[in-house]
Amino acid sequence: MFVYEKKLQYPIRIKNPNPALAKVIISQFGGPDGELAASMRYLSQRFAMPYADVRGLLTDIGTEELSHLEMVGTIIYQLTRNMKTDQIKKAGFDTYFVDHTAGVYPQFASGTPWTAATIAVKGDPITDLTEDMGAEQKARTTYDNILRLSDDPDVNDVIRFLREREIVHYQRFGEALGNVTDQLNRKNFYVTNPAFDR
C-alpha cells in the first residue's frame, strides 16, 4: 500500500520559462534511464526477489523514484508554463507543442515515447541488482549531462539533489548485491538453475 504525501521531496520554484531546457530534461521523465523506467523496474523486480530485506529496498527505492518522477514533471511544467509562441519556435519545442501543448508526456529527449522495453526484470537477484546499479549510474550520467547544458540555478539546484539520490541508490543496491551474493555463495550463484535444484 502506498501513501501519497501532497508535497514534493524537494522544493521546485523555477522562475524563467525555458522550453529548450525542458526538451532535454524530459528524458529523465520518460527516457530510457529516467524516473518512470526506474520506478517500474524496481517495483516490478520486487515480486520475484526471494529476500525480504531486498524486496523492501526495491519497494522503498521504487516508491522514491515515483516521487522523483513527480519532481521532474514539475520541472518540465514550470519550464514550459506561460511560453510565448516565439519561445516555442525558437527553442524547437514546436513539434512537441503540436502533439502535447504544455502537457508532460513520457518520452526520450529524442522524442521517442517511453517504452517498457527500457527496463529489465529477470527474477534473478544478482542479475536484477546488477541491472539496478547500472541503471542508477546511467541516470546519474544523464543528470550530469543536463547540468552541462543548463545555466538556470533554479533548475540545477533540483537536478543536483536528484543526482545525489542516484548515487545513494547505487550504494544501497551495491550493499544489497553484496549481501545476496554472500547468501548465495553458500549454495550456488544460480538460484533457480535446474542443474542445482537437486
Side-chain angles (χ1 to χ4, degrees):
M1 179 171 156
F2 296 91
V3 177
Y4 177 69
E5 186 178 341
K6 296 181 181 182
K7 176 179 145 186
L8 293 175
Q9 190 180 12
Y10 192 87
I12 301 172
R13 294 179 194 90
I14 298 167
K15 294 181 260 333
N16 302 313
N18 187 339
L21 188 53
K23 275 179 56 175
V24 292
I25 292 175
I26 201 144
S27 218
Q28 277 305 91
F29 189 79
D33 306 310
E35 304 296 353
L36 179 58
S39 61
M40 293 299 98
R41 177 185 300 109
Y42 309 145
L43 292 174
S44 297
Q45 288 175 350
R46 70 193 173 122
F47 292 107
M49 181 55 66
Y51 304 102
D53 57 333
V54 183
R55 210 169 31 251
L57 178 70
L58 288 165
T59 302
D60 291 347
I61 294 177
T63 303
E64 184 178 353
E65 299 292 10
L66 288 172
S67 74
H68 294 171
L69 181 70
E70 183 175 34
M71 291 173 66
V72 174
T74 301
I75 293 169
I76 295 162
Y77 170 74
Q78 290 186 13
L79 286 171
T80 58
R81 72 177 188 266
N82 304 323
M83 293 180 294
K84 308 287 186 243
T85 304
D86 61 324
Q87 289 175 310
I88 294 168
K89 290 178 182 175
K90 184 177 176 186
F93 198 73
D94 49 348
T95 53
Y96 180 95
F97 183 82
V98 165
D99 291 336
H100 309 291
T101 318
V104 180
Y105 178 76
Q107 70 176 42
F108 300 20
S110 63
T112 303
W114 184 80
T115 171
T118 62
I119 69 171
V121 179
K122 274 297 200 201
D124 178 88
I126 293 173
T127 305
D128 283 347
L129 289 168
T130 302
E131 161 73 18
D132 300 343
M133 291 175 69
E136 293 296 327
Q137 287 301 317
K138 289 185 275 186
R140 183 210 32 94
T141 301
T142 304
Y143 282 127
D144 287 345
N145 292 340
I146 290 168
L147 288 169
R148 288 183 181 101
L149 298 172
S150 172
D151 60 1
D152 186 326
D154 296 335
V155 171
N156 293 354
D157 187 46
V158 182
I159 297 298
R160 283 190 188 94
F161 170 81
L162 291 165
R163 181 189 181 279
E164 288 170 16
R165 296 306 301 160
E166 304 298 348
I167 294 167
V168 171
H169 295 168
Y170 172 80
Q171 292 167 337
R172 296 297 85 79
F173 285 135
E175 292 163 3
L177 179 61
N179 293 339
V180 165
T181 303
D182 289 346
Q183 293 177 51
L184 292 177
N185 275 338
R186 292 186 206 123
K187 297 184 270 182
N188 181 291
F189 237 57
Y190 303 96
V191 181
T192 57
N193 186 333
F196 297 98
D197 282 346
R198 297 182 183 137

